[in-house]
Amino acid sequence: MDFSFSDEQQQLRRTVREFAESEIAPHVMEWDEASRFPAELIPKLAELGLLGVIFPEQYGGAGLGYLEYVIAIEELSRVDGSVGLIVAAHNSLCTNHIYKFGSEAQRVKYVVPLARGEKLGCWSLTEPQSGSDAGGTRTTARRDASDWIINGAKTFTTNGHYADVCVAMAVTEEGKGAHGISAFIVEKGTPGFRPGKKENKLGMRASDTSEVVFSDCRVPAENLLGEQGQGFVNTLQVLDGGRISIAALGLGMAQGAFDAAMKYAKERKQFGQAIADFQAIQFKLADMATEIAAARLLVYHAASLADRSRADTGGEDGARRFTLQSSMAKLYASEVAVRVASEAVQIFGGYGFIKDYPAEKYYRDVKLCTIGEGTSEIQRLVIARQILGKQASGK
């Protein structure tokens, strides 16, 4: 499949790349070392429309598609995966969940300021005892007159300390498993809702990852997101788009690690010549470039199917059609990113282990892509079920 980009898409890539090089690159190691969330960057990202890429203009968004979204995440992550992750969690998880399954009133109240970048979003599914088995959610929500009262705690919430709007999953009907889980919109400042421990991470250190805690947190009934008991089912559909985000994140970081390794290989001299002249290094670069190209095709294909699904009047049925492709893209791109970053460290040699050079940060950052929004093992499970199910049904 040939992806020929329009002039507008090419301009978007140039714009985001220039922004990343000028506004992000000079601060990457400072933010990483201090594990500091770049709050000052949020208004600038909003000004470019990057906090509402995939949402219609009537809801404050840029009115673009998943292909444009992938381009943006890829270019941000090429310079700093942390910034790509901040934007991805805000767009494809929090805001997209409200856009896809919220009422019109919820879209107007929440999607508009989120897509404009006036507010930042987070999405809370994982719990200390409920990771890949998200159906084992223990956070509860019980109805009390015209309110819901939420109790529990979530972990690994991207943007948790800085988000103005949180979408959180909680059990509303005990004993029904995944079909007893509902989604809720919780605003910053709601009594009983607060961020908890901030995680001290291996990589992606400028992206805030934290607990969020609910202690008799009372939210109005209209903050139920989607139908009661359908929160987990909706979550799986939201994750289809989220996995494209992580695939783009890995793709961008792989490209960044490759670019750094290529530059270094041309500059570093040993035995009187650039190390890029040695076949051992050439073969590494050849393998890295080939795997990145293959990953890019998978990611763009999944994004194009997501765009087709959004245009399809079939709605949610359309969303299921790219589950296979989004999982394949996420699995392959994330594992390619790990391999490419590892080879980049090897090409840098001893300097690949030193923080003065970029290779070690890519090496630390990329590992998250094989874990977040479904581990590689879970992706293989999803893929296997998809291909076996289709074979069994004759589709």
Side-chain angles (χ1 to χ4, degrees), residues 155-212:
T155 191
F156 301 149
T157 299
T158 302
N159 302 336
H161 272 84
Y162 298 89
D164 302 289
V165 178
C166 175
V167 172
M169 271 48 73
V171 175
T172 51
E173 297 174 83
E174 296 283 353
K176 288 195 173 183
H179 293 283
I181 296 173
S182 303
F184 295 89
I185 303 170
V186 186
E187 296 182 53
K188 184 177 184 178
T190 301
F193 172 59
R194 63 176 177 84
K197 175 189 175 186
K198 179 180 178 180
E199 301 295 347
N200 186 12
K201 300 177 295 183
L202 168 72
M204 300 287 201
R205 291 174 58 81
S207 165
D208 172 58
T209 303
S210 66
E211 295 178 328
V212 293

Side-chain angles (χ1 to χ4, degrees), residues 343-373:
E343 288 288 50
V345 170
Q346 198 70 17
I347 289 171
F348 273 82
Y351 292 112
F353 215 67
I354 305 298
K355 288 183 178 290
D356 292 339
Y357 292 80
E360 67 86 30
K361 183 178 183 296
Y362 286 116
Y363 187 66
R364 288 186 289 111
D365 285 350
V366 295
K367 187 56 186 172
L368 176 70
C369 295
T370 68
I371 299 170
E373 295 190 37

